Amino acid sequence: GQQLNQSPQSMFIQEGEDVSMNCTSSSIFNTWLWYKQDPGEGPVLLIALYKAGELTSNGRLTAQFGITRKDSFLNISASIPSDVGIYFCAGRSNFNKFYFGSGTKLNVKP
Amino acid sequence: GAGVSQSPSNKVTEKGKDVELRCDPISGHTALYWYRQRLGQGLEFLIYFQGNSAPDKSGLPSDRFSAERTGESVSTLTIQRTQQEDSAVYLCASSWGNQPQHFGDGTRLSIL
């Protein structure tokens, strides 16, 4: 089956620092998605990427759909305390099935 | 409502009992997914419904797990003879076309 490797597993950073996390897949995807999950809530969509090479920003967040269609990264610039949470990547296959990474837990020190 | 709605939000039950979890997708969303999330873990795919097609049940961990969906609306996930390892958050998501999934807040299931 499809394997999604997300790294790092966790990060401890100082407020104001930039953050980068990425996902790689054993197979190609048609869509890459990035979600954030706060405690006690479901994942919330941050950014959706639909084309290989696409670079998309949403405020302080920037994500890219890798040229090979097997990878994606998410950058967060100038982190703030409310960025704390778990970030998940997800890829959508040809069969409209979604595969999720294991998550990156982000901790931000004020 | 505007989002995916799940009920109950929390469920505590004794080992061996059956439980039924409900998901109301966003209106018009043809696809519906169930996931399991154990404490501190990622999302584990369980089952996927797409319109009137046969569901993809490839993620169901055992025959104690089953799910139904009525047309393109409500879905129920049933776990029979619950075990302690079933304790987790069960998340439902819906989507349409090639659009991203939108998630509910989940049902937190605790098996005593």
Side-chain angles (χ1 to χ4, degrees):
Chain A
Q2 308 247 17
Q3 297 284 333
L4 269 189
N5 294 308
Q6 184 172 350
S7 64
Q9 280 191 324
S10 64
M11 305 181 75
F12 292 83
I13 62 169
Q14 202 73 34
E15 182 177 1
E17 288 183 355
D18 296 345
V19 169
S20 187
M21 58 193 78
N22 71 85
C23 273
T24 58
S25 167
S26 57
S27 305
I28 62 173
F29 286 126
N30 295 323
T31 303
W32 278 97
L33 307 167
W34 286 92
Y35 289 85
K36 182 189 179 211
Q37 186 176 30
D38 291 326
E41 299 183 8
V44 173
L45 181 69
L46 298 174
I47 291 182
L49 302 156
Y50 297 99
K51 288 195 316 193
E54 181 180 352
L55 183 73
T56 296
S57 293
N58 178 7
R60 294 178 296 106
L61 277 58
T62 302
Q64 185 158 32
F65 192 142
I67 289 290
T68 65
R69 295 170 64 191
K70 290 185 178 182
D71 64 304
S72 177
F73 71 74
L74 174 71
N75 288 343
I76 305 173
S77 62
S79 58
I80 59 178
S82 61
D83 290 335
V84 166
I86 303 177
Y87 292 79
F88 290 100
C89 62
R92 184 178 67 89
S93 72
N94 281 337
F95 302 101
N96 216 24
K97 203 164 160 182
F98 291 82
Y99 298 85
F100 283 80
S102 54
T104 295
K105 189 171 183 180
L106 179 62
N107 299 277
V108 179
K109 239 175 156 182
Chain B
V4 177
S5 177
Q6 291 188 246
S7 60
S9 53
N10 288 283
K11 176 75 176 177
V12 181
T13 193
E14 291 178 348
K15 177 181 166 181
K17 301 281 191 188
D18 297 352
V19 295
E20 200 171 271
L21 313 179
R22 178 187 168 106
C23 173
D24 278 281
I26 294 172
S27 177
H29 281 196
T30 56
L32 186 148
Y33 306 77
W34 283 99
Y35 296 89
R36 178 169 69 180
Q37 186 176 31
R38 291 204 164 101
L39 188 63
Q41 304 291 313
L43 280 69
E44 178 187 356
F45 167 76
L46 297 177
I47 188 168
Y48 159 44
F49 296 90
Q50 174 63 58
N52 294 319
S53 303
D56 179 344
K57 304 180 182 180
S58 60
L60 295 179
S62 77
D63 59 8
R64 296 187 296 105
F65 288 72
S66 62
E68 300 290 331
R69 187 181 186 194
T70 308
E72 292 184 353
S73 60
V74 170
S75 175
T76 55
L77 176 69
T78 302
I79 309 174
Q80 295 178 307
R81 305 182 301 281
T82 51
Q83 304 293 314
Q84 286 187 329
E85 67 260 24
D86 298 335
S87 295
V89 175
Y90 289 82
L91 288 161
C92 175
S94 69
S95 68
W96 69 274
N98 69 345
Q99 296 303 301
Q101 297 177 317
H102 294 270
F103 284 85
D105 283 337
T107 293
R108 280 143 200 82
L109 178 63
S110 300
I111 310 299
L112 303 178

